[in-house]
């Protein structure tokens, strides 16, 4: 069953990008969030620098978060 998740990419001054996605599960949304985060951090990108990404489920609970300071591992909630 597909669920709706909200991916939020933040920078030093707040929200940089927001996307809503419908995917089959948490693993799929994690992959999508990390892909968007990597794309937001490329040096060629215009605008504020991305520092963190978080995923919120349809009920408003944060289910995944990762930042540029998390080394090597993924932090989940």
């Amino acid at each position: 069953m597909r669920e709706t998740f909200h991916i939020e990419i933040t920078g030093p001054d707040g929200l940089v990008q927001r996307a809503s996605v419908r995917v089959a599960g948490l693993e799929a949304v994690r992959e999508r969030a990390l892909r968007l985060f990597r794309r937001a951090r490329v040096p060629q990108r215009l605008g504020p620098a991305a520092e963190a990404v978080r995923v919120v489920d349809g009920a408003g609970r944060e289910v995944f978060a990762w930042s540029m300071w998390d080394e090597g591992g993924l932090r989940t909630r």
Side-chain angles (χ1 to χ4, degrees), residues 9-17 37 40-42 45-52 68-69:
I9 298 174
T10 58
D13 297 326
L15 190 66
V16 173
Q17 181 180 356
F37 183 66
R41 293 198 39 83
V42 296
R45 181 180 165 93
L46 297 176
E51 292 183 348
M68 61 186 227
W69 299 284

Side-chain angles (χ1 to χ4, degrees), residues 4-36:
T4 300
F5 293 93
H6 307 284
I7 301 171
E8 298 176 347
I9 298 174
T10 58
D13 297 326
L15 190 66
V16 173
Q17 181 180 356
R18 178 179 290 155
S20 295
V21 295
R22 287 187 55 84
V23 294
L26 188 55
E27 188 59 37
V29 77
R30 285 181 189 169
E31 291 175 18
R32 180 80 178 263
L34 290 173
R35 192 174 341 127
L36 287 173

Side-chain angles (χ1 to χ4, degrees), residues 52-67:
V53 63
R54 72 183 209 134
V55 176
V56 178
D57 67 7
R61 294 180 303 240
E62 184 177 283
V63 293
F64 172 75
W66 191 78
S67 75

